[in-house]
Amino acid sequence: MTNHPIPLHQALASFDALWSPRIVTRVNDYDVRIAKVQGEHVWHAHDDTDEFFLVLDGELHISLREPGGERTVLLPQGAVFTVPAGTEHKPYAPSGAAILMFEPTGTPTVGDRHDEIPDHVDATTGHPLD
């Protein structure tokens, strides 16, 4: 990590891969990750941690499977949302988006439980920012 400010627009411009988050910095035992996203991710759940999303650009949809059924939340630019631990969810961005996430260091992008992982989704715990 660096002890210098990190302009997020420059960090996002440094990579092109979709659904492949980069670790911008760490806060205590949490990664601050950014990602470019388009299309669908995969249904998954993080059993022991919440997942925080902030939409930096574009629009993100998150489908949720909850006790009362399925619902989708729509996050425009500037919106935040936290998926509670254990909740099955599937992010998707029909027109593309740039997002920032807070997750405990080492949290896999496809959670602890997931559907089959498509080729366009990077099953990772985050990549260093180049």
Side-chain angles (χ1 to χ4, degrees):
M1 298 297 109
T2 180
N3 62 353
H4 301 285
I6 301 168
L8 290 180
H9 70 280
Q10 288 178 4
L12 284 161
S14 72
F15 65 97
D16 291 320
L18 298 174
W19 299 111
S20 184
R22 300 305 192 261
I23 301 167
V24 182
T25 191
R26 289 199 168 92
V27 178
N28 298 317
D29 297 331
Y30 280 75
D31 289 341
V32 178
R33 302 175 184 178
I34 57 171
K36 294 178 180 179
V37 299
Q38 187 166 4
E40 295 187 352
H41 195 268
V42 61
W43 279 105
H44 67 285
H46 302 277
D47 291 333
D48 299 317
T49 186
D50 298 338
E51 187 172 16
F52 171 89
F53 293 89
L54 164 63
V55 179
L56 301 170
D57 188 39
E59 184 175 270
L60 183 70
H61 303 239
I62 303 176
S63 293
L64 304 159
R65 290 180 177 154
E66 299 172 314
E70 285 188 19
R71 72 180 175 114
T72 299
V73 295
L74 174 62
L75 304 171
Q77 181 177 338
V80 300
F81 185 76
T82 300
V83 176
T87 302
E88 286 186 276
H89 60 288
K90 180 178 74 171
Y92 62 98
S95 301
I99 60 175
L100 182 143
M101 299 160 288
F102 286 113
E103 297 180 297
T105 298
T107 299
T109 57
V110 294
D112 304 302
R113 295 177 283 122
H114 53 77
D115 287 349
E116 185 174 333
I117 302 168
D119 291 339
H120 70 277
V121 172
D122 185 7
T124 180
T125 56
H127 299 283
L129 187 62
D130 294 330

